[in-house]
Amino acid sequence: MEPFPHDRIQLPRNMIENSMFEEEPDVVDLAKEPCLHPLEPDEVEYEPRSSRLLVRGLGENEMDEDEEDYESSAKLLGMSFMNRSTGLRNNAAGYRQSSDGSCSVPSLRTMVVCAIVLVIAVSVIMVIYLLPKCTFTKEGCHKKNHTMELIYPLATNGKRFPWAKTRLPSNVVPLHYDLVLQPNLTTTKFAGSVQITVNVIQVTWNIILHSSGLNITKATLTSAGWNQAKPVAVLEYPIRDQIAVVAPDALLVGQNYTLIIDYLSNLSDTYYGFYKVSYKDEHAEKRWLAATQFEPLAARSAFPCFDEPAFKATFLIKIQRDEQHSTLSNMPKNITIPVAAGIVRDEFSVSLKMSTYLVAFIVANLKNISKETNRTLVSVYAMPQKLGQVEHALDTAVKLLEFYEKYFHIEYPLQKLDLVAIPDFQAGAMEHWGLITFRETTLLYDNKTSSAMDKKLVTAVIAHELAHQWFGNLVTMEWWNDLWLNEGFATFMEYFAMDRTFPELQTDEEFLKLRFKTMLKDSLNASHPISSAVQSSEQIEEMFDALSYIKGASLLLMLKKYIKHDSFQAGIENYLHNHSYGSTRSDDLWDSMNEITNGTLDVKKLMKTWILQKGFPLVTVKRQGKSLHVQQERFLRSVESENWTSDASYLWHIPLSYTTNKCNPFLCPYVYLLDQKSATIELQEEVAWVKFNVDMNGYYVVHYAEDDWNTLIDLLKNNLTALSPKDRAHLINNIFSLVGIGKVPLLKAFHLLDYLVKENHTAPISQALFQVSLIYDLVEKRGMQDLAARVVDRVEKLLRSKIDQQTWTDDGTISQREFRSTVLAFACSHHLGNCSTTATELFKEWKASNGTKSLPTDVMKTVFTTGAKTDDGWEFLLSMYTSSVSEAEKHKMLEALASTEDVRKLIWLMQTSLEGDLIRAQELSHIIATVIQSLPGHLLAWDFVKENWEKLIRKFHLGSFAIQNIVTVSTFQFSTEAHLLEVKTFFESKSEKISQFRCVKEAIETIQLNIKWMERNLATLQQWL
């Protein structure tokens, strides 16, 4: 292994200038990069042979789905004159140039012709503008009850491409794919042939489908009524990944046709499509495998297809391979046929009807263990040297599969279910029907090195992906605007199933923490409704965020609590039965629920206020005697920008839940539906206190009158068990959230935290540490080390006894073990008590044993992080990282390596991960998130992002979750006007399109909010501490 190159890394300018210690660092000059494509997504190009017409703003988002087969508006406007430009140029000869270079007077004939042309031009313009009921804009002529004419783009061969929309037409639908693939892991290329059986819904001459990066070598079309297959022309429009197959005859309604396309391509070196992965085998030799990741839009890069979720079809997969490899796909393998010397072809069973993004295949050398349940063979695959880490996953998958079948009353419909650990995989996992792929860290569990939190993670991800076998696979959202139907449901079922099947894991508190973090994101103006219109690939990628997953799940939890579990379960069953093997919209779910509530509650009316509006409500409660006055408004962390959206029009139907000191155990919690801006709730008697949003099962923040806040703070100090741990965590979250919008003074929030001396549960302490860490990070990254230290001292006084009580073991319940891990990690990172001393001794013992001594798994990361503070410790940890076969252990080591404050080491880590050899590129986002936690690291990470931006978006794709995460984590601790300007300037210099990405807007808004928070609270913090 090449030693760490201490002397070969150049420090970035921010580090050289020590600008990390300045409140106003210099803004880096940025060269504007050229656009990736000459056309933006809302541009379409029409180009006759000798001239070009560029039309912006076709407004395709506004066009109805059934607007098809329109003639070019170039014809409508008589633009055939453009093809006669040569003749017009010839007429220009009427202007003669004299020998001295001056222009002579044009001839009479020329003047007459020019006058006629001018009159005609003026007449055309007047007709256009005076057309009845027509407004002519750059988008075209808008007529009442008429749609806009389309201007068609050009194919790569210069011919007119016969489709001008992002979405495919519905005049032809796929029924079946017969796909043959021949991947070569030596050359990293593959050949393919696909036969697509289609049915014609409306007469057409063209079949429009998707293809991306495929070299099409041959295409034919056949039908039962034809004697033989007929060659067809294929037009390509790569800007939208579309191809058009031009039929030799009209395709007739009701007829089936078979389209056969042969093509060549390369295995991808990104994480999308049919991509290659290098790995070391058990003999430390470099090997290759090929795997797929098609969601959302990458099936088209492996085979031509109708790559939209609503175009469901059946699939027959055949893969030709070297006989030393093995293959997997969605369905069981039917037969293996010898093809040539050392080459065989595997043929799989015909699949059920499914979307293209769920198709999967793998070519590799994997080992597995299996277990059968209810006529389904469940198998877990991994690298041979890691097969000993799959037993927990197998047992977990079997139990969860049995639970889901009973809960949904629908059997899993396939004969097999494979779970596969992929050595290099960007997502956490992918739910392909019958062939679920995972990161190794989310599937493998090692008894010696995996912690309690590792076990919970593996179980959660398996639960999520198995839920998708029903929500997403059996029933699929019609379009990506309703992605939350897939991901929100899978996330909700993940925690619900774990609570029912593995109650000892105590996952409800984990779900609570995720809801808190999601609301932090959703309170930005840059947020979006969980059901949002999307068209472009980047917009679709951006839908894969915390809102689709966690907010979607949170709304389902709120609905379940409101309509009660039995009705909710019946509604889910109804939805799945009604739409099996079909595609749905959000309204289909609410309609299924309404069939169960049977008029007692309009679920659709209620839930539309939550899925079609961004953000969430702030409920203000004022108690007067037996009356509770409640009022709602949008909770918005406003920067008061010119684009700020007023909350006046926001109205939610909120299922309020509340409890009091006199709450009847049989009726508690009480529920009230607030469907107006304000209302009054009458209690039966006066109460000492009231607490709204019981256990934080609702998706809203609560603010109380000052006296009621004081009462609740006293309650925590004197009788904290009167409220559940989740309610206590909720109060901490709410009061700091209200500080952020100026509703509550900062000192009151810190006074509430004083009760923590009596707190022993993980959820409240974790939330308190999270809120304090946000303040600590802002202050520390401003270079105010003394003030930051005083913030930590304040927390230490509250938690000192708990820190001293912790043992460095794996004893106790899951909750106790997580509590230990959280408290000790905080203590060691801030050098509190004897924490660092104990961790250092454990690391020395582990290092002296050459890594063979067992460490307590729950404190392993803390021990590694402490040991990595020294050069020797860091180097030893890196050597152990490269040789370890435990992904859980490697993950902890990597986080420890990225926690050093040695800037050269940090640069090397990020660069090495981006290269993807010694450290996988899949780890880069996590490395950056760890690097930014230190004072030098937060500027270093931002410099790295700027300097490697083009490489990052080539590897991870614009809009992807990895890019979203990298943009937000590398900037969220900035709190100066200089950094705000620097971030804005950087993204604007790339392109207008990139500057409008949601994650970029979120990053900028967060910096603005940080500046505002510091202006409002810094003086108070300095004075108080």
Side-chain angles (χ1 to χ4, degrees), residues 46 53 71-80 150-151 160:
Y46 177 79
L53 172 65
E71 292 184 359
S72 167
S73 60
K75 285 185 179 180
L76 175 72
L77 300 178
M79 290 184 176
S80 58
L150 300 183
I151 296 179
R160 191 189 78 160

Side-chain angles (χ1 to χ4, degrees), residues 42 44 265 287 414 510 554 563 792 859:
D42 63 339
V44 173
S265 192
R287 302 289 187 190
L414 305 185
E510 188 67 27
S554 303
I563 68 174
V792 173
V859 296

Side-chain angles (χ1 to χ4, degrees), residues 244-299:
V245 176
V246 182
D249 302 300
L251 304 180
L252 304 179
V253 173
Q255 294 293 311
N256 289 353
Y257 297 85
T258 300
L259 173 63
I260 305 170
I261 301 176
D262 298 335
Y263 58 95
L264 301 170
S265 192
N266 297 317
L267 292 173
S268 172
D269 56 4
T270 70
Y271 290 106
Y272 299 89
F274 194 15
Y275 73 99
K276 59 188 177 184
V277 175
S278 67
Y279 65 95
K280 298 288 182 66
D281 65 13
E282 58 266 45
H283 306 297
E285 294 183 7
K286 187 174 183 178
R287 302 289 187 190
W288 291 91
L289 65 79
T292 56
Q293 171 61 39
F294 291 160
E295 189 179 35
L297 306 172

Side-chain angles (χ1 to χ4, degrees), residues 66-204:
D66 58 351
E67 295 175 22
E68 297 170 5
D69 299 323
Y70 289 73
E71 292 184 359
S72 167
S73 60
K75 285 185 179 180
L76 175 72
L77 300 178
M79 290 184 176
S80 58
F81 76 92
M82 299 180 72
N83 288 324
R84 299 195 295 271
S85 57
T86 303
L88 293 178
R89 284 196 299 269
N90 292 339
N91 287 341
Y95 291 90
R96 298 179 178 86
Q97 192 174 39
S98 63
S99 59
D100 62 357
S102 61
C103 291
S104 63
V105 179
S107 67
L108 178 62
R109 175 176 174 273
T110 301
M111 294 179 65
V112 171
V113 170
C114 289
I116 294 173
V117 170
L118 180 61
V119 170
I120 293 173
V122 171
S123 301
V124 170
I125 292 171
M126 292 180 66
V127 168
I128 289 173
Y129 276 86
L130 297 177
L131 280 173
K133 301 178 181 179
C134 176
T135 303
F136 192 79
T137 69
K138 70 177 184 177
E139 289 83 8
C141 174
H142 294 270
K143 302 178 185 179
K144 187 176 180 180
N145 297 326
H146 288 76
T147 54
M148 183 169 48
E149 299 292 343
L150 300 183
I151 296 179
Y152 291 91
L154 288 182
T156 53
N157 63 357
K159 294 184 178 180
R160 191 189 78 160
F161 191 81
W163 188 246
K165 298 184 186 180
T166 302
R167 298 279 297 273
L168 296 181
S170 56
N171 54 3
V172 175
V173 296
L175 302 176
H176 176 75
Y177 293 81
D178 193 327
L179 176 62
V180 180
L181 291 166
Q182 302 174 43
N184 187 319
L185 297 185
T186 302
T187 64
T188 66
K189 299 179 183 297
F190 70 94
S193 178
V194 64
Q195 297 183 29
I196 312 174
T197 303
V198 300
N199 180 257
V200 178
I201 306 300
Q202 294 176 342
V203 65
T204 181

Side-chain angles (χ1 to χ4, degrees), residues 2-9 875 904-905 908 911-912:
E2 183 181 3
F4 176 71
H6 292 277
D7 57 343
R8 284 191 280 166
I9 296 180
E875 296 286 0
R904 289 180 172 84
K905 291 183 173 72
W908 181 85
Q911 288 178 343
T912 303

